[in-house]
Amino acid sequence: TSGTQSQNGPATDNPQILRFDGATGAFKDIFVSTRSGGLENPYTLLFGPDGNLYVSNVTTHSVLRYQGSSGAFLGAFVAPGSGGLSRPTGMAFGPDGLFYVASSFGNVGILRYNATTGAFVDTFIPAGRGGMAGPTDILFYTFESQVTQSGSAPSVAADPASGNRLLVWTDNQVVNVQPFDSDGHATSA
């Protein structure tokens, strides 16, 4: 097994994605070479259901896609600024078949995109709803598990009988929750 790590830094640094052995932690290779496909400031790395690597590229306001086994650049999956995307951070492929991206600055919110084409669909959670101010991470919560943050931060749990799902995100080190139904519509928190 292997893991992938981002070499974060300003656009003037040496942005690349490195691969390490998942068992030993030993460096394996440079998976995505310096600035490949416009890589400037990677934030979140995510392998999609298609096996490809998706990278939120903060300074270009886009999501880049790389071939999952070789690291070869495949193209911008979410074009720069698509749907108002600004400083993308967290990303997740949702259980409804859509691709979710946290837009953390300017047009703040959780934006949804077509998971095959990367085309903008809508703003799922706008700024202000449920305290949304600058999301950084996205997690889809299953009722079989429980998300807990240590200390005085909130714990998240829900009644499986409701049939709703939860989208959980962190914002200013606080865990936030937005329930949604099986059709992907936000419901009251």
Side-chain angles (χ1 to χ4, degrees), residues 9 17-19 25 36 40 59 65 76 78 101 117 119 135 150 154 156 159 161 164 171 177-178:
I17 298 172
L18 309 177
R19 190 164 36 180
S36 172
E40 288 186 13
T59 52
R65 181 171 42 186
V78 175
V101 182
T117 66
S150 60
V156 179
D159 178 7
N164 284 344
D171 194 335
V177 179
Q178 174 63 58

Side-chain angles (χ1 to χ4, degrees), residues 125 129-130 155-157 165-169 175-179 189:
I125 304 174
R129 180 183 285 167
S155 295
V156 179
R165 299 175 177 143
L166 297 178
L167 175 65
V168 179
W169 73 93
V175 176
N176 296 279
V177 179
Q178 174 63 58

Side-chain angles (χ1 to χ4, degrees), residues 7-30:
Q7 182 76 18
N8 288 320
T12 58
D13 283 348
N14 189 27
Q16 55 190 220
I17 298 172
L18 309 177
R19 190 164 36 180
F20 296 85
D21 185 279
T24 67
F27 174 76
K28 289 179 76 174
D29 59 16
I30 296 173

Side-chain angles (χ1 to χ4, degrees), residues 129-142:
R129 180 183 285 167
M132 176 75 68
T136 54
D137 299 301
I138 298 175
L139 167 72
F140 281 93
Y141 175 80
T142 62

Side-chain angles (χ1 to χ4, degrees), residues 43 89 102-105 108 128 130-137 149 152-154 169-176:
Y43 190 89
T89 51
S103 184
S104 67
F105 187 79
V108 170
M132 176 75 68
T136 54
D137 299 301
Q149 191 170 4
S152 60
W169 73 93
T170 58
D171 194 335
N172 295 318
Q173 299 180 346
V174 174
V175 176
N176 296 279

